[in-house]
Amino acid sequence: MTVSGLRERKKQRTRDALLRVALELFTTQGYERTTVDEIADAVEVSQRTFFRYFSSKEEVAFAVQQMVEERFVQALTERPAEEGPLDAMRNAVLASWDTIGEAIMEVVPVELYLRTFQMIESTPALLAVHLRRSTEMEEAIARLIAEREGLDVDEDPRPRIAVAAFSGVMRVTGQLWGRGTDPTLEAIRALTERYLDHLGPALEPDWRN
């Protein structure tokens, strides 16, 4: 391996260590009570080194979620053009869950990812950020869907409506997984698939047929 390759691996190990330690501290003693100095000291690096990898505690808190979202967007861009919007989003999220587990576990244990999810949901400052990020993500996906379908997202409401419905299902399954007793990625994938399968029928005008 080249010197530059070794340097990159060392940088990645340092970033991963800072991420793991930060999430562990956030989930055990609280996000607000954890300082950047504590995180850096635990990894035996300087505060300056911390800020070389992360701009803030907030960025660390959402780092794994950011990775999951990026994987989904990439999967969505790769879906076949003939798939309809809801099928494309459904297949993209299930495909990304098939591969994201390994990517997450290279950085943090899955149970720590679950605890982080729960911590974000129960920390008002982070929940507000989470909702803002979700809104921005929905808009980006709506524009991607509109582009796939050859539509003007500002003239045709369907892309935003479809994404809002899809995102609502994802929010519900995430919350149910977070409150459940099975903290595995297989569990959230199965729950996600089950709920997405009910999305179409739930939009039907009459549920009694």
Side-chain angles (χ1 to χ4, degrees):
M1 182 176 288
T2 64
V3 172
S4 61
L6 288 170
R7 191 179 300 122
E8 286 304 313
R9 283 185 61 181
K10 183 179 179 183
K11 286 168 65 175
Q12 188 62 49
R13 283 198 300 269
T14 301
R15 185 185 187 279
D16 291 349
L18 285 166
L19 177 56
R20 279 193 301 271
V21 165
L23 297 185
E24 194 63 54
L25 289 170
F26 292 163
T27 57
T28 54
Q29 67 183 31
Y31 174 78
E32 304 287 3
R33 288 192 291 272
T34 301
T35 66
V36 169
D37 280 337
E38 279 182 284
I39 298 167
D41 288 346
V43 183
E44 299 182 338
V45 298
S46 66
Q47 187 187 85
R48 184 178 175 183
T49 297
F50 172 90
F51 286 116
R52 197 176 296 148
Y53 294 96
F54 300 101
S55 63
S56 62
K57 288 197 308 177
E58 180 186 298
E59 185 181 344
V60 185
F62 289 98
V64 180
Q65 187 63 32
Q66 177 77 21
M67 183 173 68
V68 172
E69 290 167 355
E70 288 172 355
R71 186 67 63 97
F72 165 70
V73 170
Q74 182 61 36
L76 182 57
T77 62
E78 295 171 355
R79 295 311 306 170
E82 62 270 16
E83 285 185 347
L86 288 176
D87 281 342
M89 288 188 286
R90 176 191 184 279
N91 292 333
V93 77
L94 294 178
S96 61
W97 275 123
D98 285 340
T99 59
I100 197 64
E102 191 173 317
I104 290 174
M105 287 185 286
E106 285 179 4
V107 184
V108 298
V110 172
E111 63 87 20
L112 180 54
Y113 172 62
L114 173 59
R115 283 194 281 130
T116 300
F117 185 89
Q118 295 166 331
M119 181 268 299
I120 289 170
E121 292 272 327
S122 61
T123 304
L126 291 180
L127 184 56
V129 175
H130 179 51
L131 293 174
R132 187 200 76 219
R133 291 178 78 258
S134 296
T135 300
E136 292 170 354
M137 182 72 171
E138 285 179 22
E139 179 64 14
I141 297 171
R143 290 184 177 278
L144 183 56
I145 289 294
E147 186 179 336
R148 277 176 55 92
E149 300 299 314
L151 303 173
D152 182 341
V153 73
D154 295 317
E155 295 294 331
D156 193 320
R158 288 176 297 175
R160 287 193 176 106
I161 291 171
V163 171
F166 172 82
S167 297
V169 173
M170 297 304 297
R171 216 160 13 247
V172 168
T173 56
Q175 289 167 349
L176 290 173
W177 180 65
R179 295 198 299 264
T181 57
D182 187 348
T184 63
L185 291 176
E186 290 80 7
I188 190 172
R189 188 195 186 285
L191 192 63
T192 300
E193 185 169 21
R194 178 184 162 207
Y195 272 65
L196 286 176
D197 284 346
H198 282 80
L199 180 56
L203 298 177
E204 292 293 328
D206 186 356
W207 291 358
R208 296 180 182 178
N209 290 334

